[in-house]
Amino acid sequence: NASLPASTWDVASFHASRLNEFNTGTDVINGTCDGRPFVIGMGYDTSCSDLHIEMKFSSAIFKFREEWAVTVRGNTVYGHISGPAHRLDVSFSSIGDAAQRSLPHGIVGQSFSNNAPRVGKLDSYPKAGRFATSAMAEGAIDGEAAMYQVTQPFDIDFVFSRFRAAVLTAPVGGILPGKASSTEQNLPVLLN
């Protein structure tokens, strides 16, 4: 979570549907910066308040206060049969000691609290048929999934919210900078 004054909202959206057959586009990202609308595409960038957005070929980096970076990569849906022809791959990273000073929380933010994998309750998937998950990350997240629900889009208030919390002036031990990841390398191997 990042702290902004309550009256400041800079909003940006990366639209996979606006990528062309070459995985590029001229109007892929749009939003509002300091209350002004903007549209950018390949090779352009924009800055406002504490946010800087740079669109490269088919990816964009959204940097907040030079402390947090969200990289969004547009990519083709391989073996496409129907539905969207492009997907978005998203990665988060802290820059410097931002994670140690911000004490990030929330479903994604907890990934920055330490480098040890957080493994919780696992579902047992059937070989065929429909399946509804029951695990909901319990054990891998603090509390339970319902505690992270917000009442409306763009809401920042939930049980563990640190959105309006002060940033520390000195890092806290035990929280390591790095990238949030849910790659298969961090998951336990299940044998039947």
Side-chain angles (χ1 to χ4, degrees):
N1 296 324
S3 299
L4 280 176
S7 62
T8 303
W9 281 101
D10 296 324
V11 180
S13 298
F14 188 118
H15 299 275
S17 62
R18 294 185 183 162
L19 293 169
N20 60 30
E21 67 273 16
F22 304 109
N23 228 23
T24 64
T26 58
D27 63 346
V28 178
I29 300 172
N30 73 341
T32 57
C33 250
D34 296 326
R36 296 181 320 268
F38 71 89
V39 177
I40 63 171
M42 183 178 73
Y44 288 90
D45 68 335
T46 189
S47 293
C48 54
S49 303
D50 294 324
L51 179 66
H52 180 79
I53 305 167
E54 181 181 5
M55 176 81 184
K56 301 209 183 240
F57 185 71
S58 60
S59 65
I61 299 174
F62 298 76
K63 285 188 179 177
F64 178 72
R65 292 185 181 160
E66 290 298 322
E67 295 179 350
W68 295 97
V70 178
T71 302
V72 180
R73 293 175 184 83
N75 211 336
T76 303
V77 174
Y78 299 104
H80 176 260
I81 296 172
S82 66
H86 290 86
R87 68 174 198 266
L88 297 178
D89 299 329
V90 180
S91 63
F92 298 80
S93 59
S94 61
I95 300 169
D97 65 356
Q100 298 158 310
R101 291 181 297 106
S102 298
L103 300 176
H105 213 286
I107 299 292
V108 173
Q110 289 179 64
S111 304
F112 292 96
S113 63
N114 64 54
N115 284 342
R118 296 184 92 166
V119 180
K121 181 179 172 186
L122 299 174
D123 286 316
S124 178
Y125 294 94
K127 293 190 185 275
R130 292 183 152 228
F131 176 78
T133 184
S134 65
M136 300 297 290
E138 291 172 17
I141 60 172
D142 292 337
E144 53 190 56
M147 299 170 98
Y148 294 85
Q149 291 178 349
V150 294
T151 58
Q152 59 190 6
F154 306 111
D155 193 0
I156 57 172
D157 296 318
F158 60 95
V159 173
F160 300 107
S161 178
R162 288 198 36 80
F163 195 90
R164 291 186 181 98
V167 174
L168 303 175
T169 56
V172 173
I175 299 177
L176 304 174
K179 293 188 175 189
S181 175
S182 60
T183 62
E184 292 178 13
Q185 298 150 353
N186 292 340
L187 300 176
V189 176
L190 300 177
L191 301 174
N192 290 336

